[in-house]
Amino acid sequence: MITPVKIVVQVKLIPEADQATALSATLHTVNEAANWVSAVAFERGVPREYELRKHTYAELKARGLGSQAAQHVIKKVRDAYTTLKANIRAGNLGESGSKRRMKAETKPIAFRPEAAQPYDDRCLSWQYDARTVSIWTTAGRIKNVRFACSADMLQTLREYRKGESDLIERDGVFYLVAVCDVPEAEQYEPDGFTGVDLGIANIATTSTGYKAAGRGLNRHRKKQAGLRRKLQKKGTKSARRRLKSRARKEQRHAANTNHIIAKTIVTEAERTSNGISLEELKGIRQRVRLRKPQRVALHSWAFAQLADFIVYKARRAGVPVVFVDPAYTSQQCYECGHIDKKNRASQARFTCRNCGVVAHADRNASRNLARKGEAAWTAGRESRVPATP
């Protein structure tokens, strides 16, 4: 059975002035109602959704919400508390008694006025050919709200959109975010594996020779950080407006860069009938030791995002992906297997103390990852059933 790949498609709404007013008023109304439902849930010890509905549904209807909108508000609040409980259980908010955890546990969850509101097909319909939507608002259903997206995204929406879509407002601009279940391509048997070494100086280096240098991205981030400091220090109204207009610009730039890198890696692997071997990144911030100037680069780099992009693009293309333990891949010689800290002569240079081979450090590490990926793939395919005597 081929499982679908969940792709999130975001389209930009281009409403008329009166349509924008209705959308904004709707988001403010439903999120104000969500805050009230959250207070009720907190007061009653966060009951199950059915019980919470008994205490809140009538009031939500009286506030002007339609039946479906009221149901979605209740479900949104209940889901938020479920997520909070899971984060507390996982220790993501600190230990019991910590300031952050106490703050989360001692007051109701609050929703921003522009927070996302889910819509199902009964209160939102898409007209793909006209590139418009018909959407419920507190002022009634409004039709012919235009949206913009790429041709590829439109095709994905048309063929694979499933379930709910979220209406979001960011800095006065409205977006619809839809989840699409794209069928995963049938996975082929790889001829070999392409190792991908992720880093800071070079964002990605593959065992086949591709290298995505991180100098440009790091320079862009440094420039953006300097500009933010200047504007924050200035503190004027125009400076704050400038900061707001530049919000998330660096994030969008990094995401676009990661998309390009991931597409290049997956396309090359597919062309050569190779699988992709990625290093397991869990706990990288805790296990990597860096000098102070490098820590900001490590903690601000979206390395997990790049890995996620590679994985989902590979699944769509049918390219096998394995995750391997990256231990010693930067210290081990690909040619002879000798492991020594001193093999890493510098950030970019690898010189084996045993056989004397000289290579680019990231290229050597990517080759070790490729070998580990092939071993992991073979081990996963071997039968664990003892042979019959």
Side-chain angles (χ1 to χ4, degrees):
M1 180 179 177
I2 298 176
T3 57
V5 181
K6 291 194 178 296
I7 305 295
V8 176
V9 175
Q10 176 178 282
V11 303
K12 181 180 179 181
L13 295 182
I14 313 173
E16 302 293 339
D18 57 334
Q19 295 173 337
T21 301
L23 291 173
S24 181
T26 299
L27 280 180
H28 282 69
T29 300
V30 295
N31 284 302
E32 183 181 347
N35 284 327
W36 175 76
V37 174
S38 179
V40 173
F42 184 79
E43 182 183 345
R44 295 181 175 274
V46 193
R48 293 181 181 274
E49 185 178 334
Y50 177 75
E51 185 181 347
L52 184 59
R53 188 179 296 121
K54 289 195 299 183
H55 296 294
T56 57
Y57 181 77
E59 173 63 22
L60 292 177
K61 290 283 290 180
R63 291 180 179 225
L65 272 64
S67 299
Q68 289 303 114
Q71 302 279 15
H72 284 307
V73 166
I74 295 168
K75 187 176 184 300
K76 178 170 76 170
V77 172
R78 191 62 185 83
D79 289 347
Y81 277 101
T82 300
T83 302
L84 174 62
K85 186 176 180 180
N87 281 326
I88 291 173
R89 192 185 306 116
N92 296 334
L93 299 179
E95 298 178 355
S96 179
S98 67
K99 186 176 180 181
R100 187 181 178 194
R101 180 164 169 175
M102 288 286 290
K103 184 178 179 181
E105 291 179 322
T106 55
K107 63 179 183 179
I109 292 176
F111 295 86
R112 293 176 295 103
E114 303 85 10
Q117 173 66 11
Y119 280 77
D120 61 21
D121 288 342
R122 281 171 285 190
C123 42
L124 171 69
S125 60
W126 298 75
Q127 294 80 46
Y128 300 115
D129 292 335
R131 296 204 181 192
T132 61
V133 295
S134 170
I135 187 170
W136 172 87
T137 69
T138 51
R141 196 173 184 101
I142 55 175
K143 300 180 179 180
N144 301 320
V145 182
R146 293 182 298 134
F147 69 84
C149 66
S150 68
D152 288 343
M153 291 294 99
L154 182 62
Q155 183 178 355
T156 302
L157 278 171
R158 187 194 299 269
E159 296 180 5
Y160 305 117
R161 185 189 63 82
K162 298 289 183 183
E164 298 175 352
S165 303
D166 286 348
L167 175 65
I168 301 173
E169 182 183 359
R170 293 198 198 108
D171 303 326
V173 181
F174 296 94
Y175 300 91
L176 279 173
V177 180
V179 177
C180 299
D181 289 341
V182 181
E184 181 177 346
E186 187 175 352
Q187 204 173 76
Y188 57 76
E189 186 68 26
D191 293 337
F193 272 81
T194 298
V196 182
D197 180 66
L198 305 179
I200 296 173
N202 295 309
I203 300 173
T205 305
T206 70
S207 55
T208 55
Y210 171 70
K211 182 172 69 173
R215 186 179 305 149
L217 182 57
N218 291 330
R219 185 165 55 240
H220 174 80
R221 284 181 165 169
K222 187 175 181 181
K223 179 180 178 181
Q224 296 299 316
L227 180 59
R228 282 197 302 271
R229 282 195 298 269
K230 287 180 181 179
L231 292 172
Q232 288 166 352
K233 187 176 180 181
K234 198 169 184 180
T236 61
K237 186 176 180 180
S238 61
R240 289 193 295 271
R241 186 168 60 248
R242 177 78 168 167
L243 273 170
K244 186 176 181 180
S245 69
R246 299 184 67 85
R248 293 183 291 274
K249 186 173 183 178
E250 179 184 338
Q251 182 183 1
R252 291 194 299 270
H253 178 78
N256 182 63
T257 302
N258 281 339
H259 270 298
I260 294 170
I261 295 170
K263 185 176 181 179
T264 302
I265 291 171
V266 172
T267 302
E268 177 65 15
E270 184 181 16
R271 186 185 66 81
T272 56
S273 297
N274 272 4
I276 297 175
S277 178
L278 290 172
E279 52 186 305
E280 177 58 63
L281 295 172
K282 188 175 181 180
I284 188 172
R285 288 188 172 97
Q286 288 74 35
R287 68 171 181 262
V288 173
R289 297 292 179 264
L290 296 171
R291 295 189 299 273
K292 191 172 182 179
Q294 294 177 303
R295 292 175 195 163
V296 174
L298 173 69
H299 287 271
S300 63
W301 177 51
F303 53 84
Q305 183 190 69
L306 175 57
D308 288 343
F309 286 174
I310 292 173
V311 169
Y312 97 75
K313 291 177 190 294
R315 289 181 63 191
R316 291 191 67 178
V319 178
V321 177
V322 295
F323 283 87
V324 299
D325 184 359
Y328 306 110
T329 50
S330 63
Q331 301 173 16
Q332 182 178 21
C333 175
Y334 173 76
E335 297 293 340
C336 69
H338 178 66
I339 300 175
D340 192 336
K341 277 186 178 182
K342 296 178 181 178
N343 284 348
R344 189 74 181 260
S346 66
Q347 187 279 325
R349 185 181 178 88
F350 182 91
T351 305
C352 181
R353 297 298 178 111
N354 182 53
C355 67
V357 69
V358 178
H360 190 283
D362 293 340
R363 180 74 182 279
N364 177 78
S366 67
R367 288 178 171 179
N368 285 325
L369 289 167
R371 179 177 289 168
K372 284 191 171 189
E374 193 163 351
W377 179 265
T378 302
R381 290 295 183 270
E382 288 178 352
S383 173
R384 301 302 180 188
V385 180
T388 305

